Amino acid sequence: MAEPLGAHTPLARAAAGLDSCVHCGFCLPACPTYLAVADENASPRGRLVLMRAALDGEVRLDDPDITAALDTCLGCRACETACPSGVPYGQLLEATRETQRAVRPIPRVGRLVLATFARPSLLRVVLAAARLVRVTGVARVLARLPGALGTPFALLASTVRERARPYRPAVPAGEDRRATVACLTGCVMEGLFTPVNRATERVLMVNGYALRRAPAQQCCGALHIHAGDADTARRLARTNIAAFEASGAELIAVNSAGCGAMLKEYGHVLHDDPAWADRAAAFAGRVRDVSELLAAAGPRPSRGETRRVTYDAPCHLQHAQRVVTPPLAVLGAIGGAALVPLAGSDQCCGSAGIYNLLEPETADAVLAPKLDAIAATGAEVVVTGNPGCLMQIGGGLVRAGATTVARHPIELLDAGYAREY
């Protein structure tokens, strides 16, 4: 027999958010898992009902119905954009998963991944090994393996990049300098998308931003808090706040939508910590997606190649950060790019951090209509501003044998600037 959850549990403390839901159903067509399986339990309002039932003691948090419903949620937060009542679904999901950890541990694969990302020295070794598998071509060969066996190799194969021509922008100074910026290098971005990070730094400088370093930064903690490991997420948040404070930068630039959403929510993550709450809120107010910074600067037009481009909006950029028009301003500055609308651009691709590794079948089901929509555009390049989305979409394109490639918008802008230097 279940019992009501104690007032001290994370879900109980977040319960006010449950009261906002009026069960109108506007979230249903926005939810990728509901669209994939047509099950009410796999919808936002269905999951909220289960959360309320657990809170009131009608069902246990380790009940199979609840665990299945929560495990299959992508956490894309598209329901928040659709919701007329302002239900803080993302925060409720994280609070529920954190509460659930007391009665049901994180799956073994998840624990291994989270432990690796929380240990910089171990993460460097793992990412170095991944780069070795990538450079030898083994990843592309093994991507042909059927089903979930080939998924991680397809994801890795999609991170291959052509060698970009580096250039040296002038260091902004005096009236030419807009602001000082420290970049979040990120885990996967620095480990597997290194050229994108260097391109981000160059593009920011071209557009008037002076760079500052924050060498003590670590993983943002997004993977951990989404999985219910809030303690590790809070520890990483404190480390990053101190690191960026020490940089002296006025703003923090992020080229990963998921990481940016997490950094912008550090104020919420640490709101119960008297020693860090104010610092976390101040830090969060200085975080900007790189597209926001570039849109504020113009951005400066570049001499891009003539090609057909389509844009897929990362969920945690459009739905969590509510950043919609700045990426379009960046794409508009890429000379030669013919932007083709993508049907369902606001729908999740099925990546969701490590979701595609833990729930590969559902992830593939969510990705399938995305790949069909991309193919329908006839685009040579699909651009998106998040490493998970780049790998999920890119991996799907690799396995489909498509000629379309997935790229970060910064890559296209940077390539155009390179022609001017």
Side-chain angles (χ1 to χ4, degrees), residues 301-315:
S302 74
R303 300 176 184 174
E305 296 181 8
T306 300
R307 50 184 166 179
R308 204 172 171 88
V309 176
T310 194
Y311 171 65
D312 189 65
C315 293

Side-chain angles (χ1 to χ4, degrees), residues 97 102 111 123 149 172 174 202 207 225 228 277 306 313 366 382 387 400 412:
R97 285 176 170 169
R111 292 200 304 272
L123 182 61
L149 292 174
R202 291 190 294 265
N207 283 275
I225 202 161
T306 300
V366 172
V382 53
L412 276 62

Side-chain angles (χ1 to χ4, degrees), residues 289-356:
D289 183 76
V290 65
S291 67
E292 293 181 277
L293 294 173
L294 294 175
R300 177 179 166 181
S302 74
R303 300 176 184 174
E305 296 181 8
T306 300
R307 50 184 166 179
R308 204 172 171 88
V309 176
T310 194
Y311 171 65
D312 189 65
C315 293
H316 279 79
L317 191 60
Q318 177 157 333
H319 302 305
Q321 299 186 52
R322 304 296 173 95
V323 174
V324 178
T325 57
L328 301 178
V330 172
L331 294 175
I334 302 170
L339 186 61
V340 185
L342 177 65
S345 171
D346 60 337
Q347 286 284 343
C348 185
C349 66
S351 170
I354 59 175
Y355 183 96
N356 50 10

Side-chain angles (χ1 to χ4, degrees), residues 22-238:
V22 296
H23 308 287
C24 63
F26 280 111
C27 60
L28 299 182
C31 178
T33 52
Y34 178 77
L35 293 177
V37 301
D39 181 354
E40 180 73 18
N41 281 350
S43 73
R45 74 175 181 184
R47 293 180 176 115
L48 291 171
V49 168
L50 292 173
M51 292 177 195
R52 170 61 72 183
L55 184 65
D56 294 342
E58 297 173 10
V59 65
R60 290 176 56 88
L61 269 176
D62 57 356
D63 180 277
D65 286 339
I66 287 191
T67 57
L70 295 181
D71 287 350
T72 56
C73 180
L74 290 147
C76 68
R77 295 171 65 172
C79 55
E80 292 187 13
T81 300
C83 180
S85 302
V87 176
Y89 179 84
Q91 294 177 7
L92 286 165
L93 177 65
E94 291 166 1
T96 304
R97 285 176 170 169
E98 183 183 0
T99 305
Q100 194 179 37
R101 295 290 76 89
V103 295
R104 180 175 179 262
I106 298 170
R108 184 177 301 174
V109 173
R111 292 200 304 272
L112 180 60
V113 172
L114 296 179
T116 300
F117 274 79
R119 293 167 174 80
S121 58
L122 178 57
L123 182 61
R124 283 193 292 269
V125 172
V126 170
L127 290 175
R131 291 194 298 271
L132 180 61
V133 174
R134 180 181 66 183
V135 76
T136 59
V138 171
R140 184 166 286 272
V141 172
L142 295 182
R144 301 170 188 164
L145 291 172
L149 292 174
T151 295
F153 298 105
L155 300 177
L156 183 57
S158 72
T159 66
V160 172
R161 289 296 183 270
E162 305 87 359
R163 186 182 296 275
R165 186 177 74 80
Y167 56 94
R168 292 182 177 275
V171 177
E175 294 182 356
D176 294 330
R177 191 178 80 180
R178 299 186 62 85
T180 56
V181 173
C183 294
L184 178 80
T185 54
C187 304
V188 173
M189 287 303 296
E190 186 63 24
L192 298 179
F193 292 96
T194 314
V196 181
N197 273 357
R198 302 293 84 78
T200 298
E201 294 164 359
R202 291 190 294 265
V203 166
L204 285 171
M205 291 176 67
V206 168
N207 283 275
Y209 294 97
L211 301 183
R212 298 290 183 267
R213 303 294 175 186
Q217 62 178 283
Q218 293 187 24
C219 173
C220 70
L223 295 179
H224 302 83
I225 202 161
H226 296 332
D229 185 6
D231 288 340
T232 300
R234 286 187 279 265
R235 174 174 63 80
L236 292 169
R238 296 183 191 101

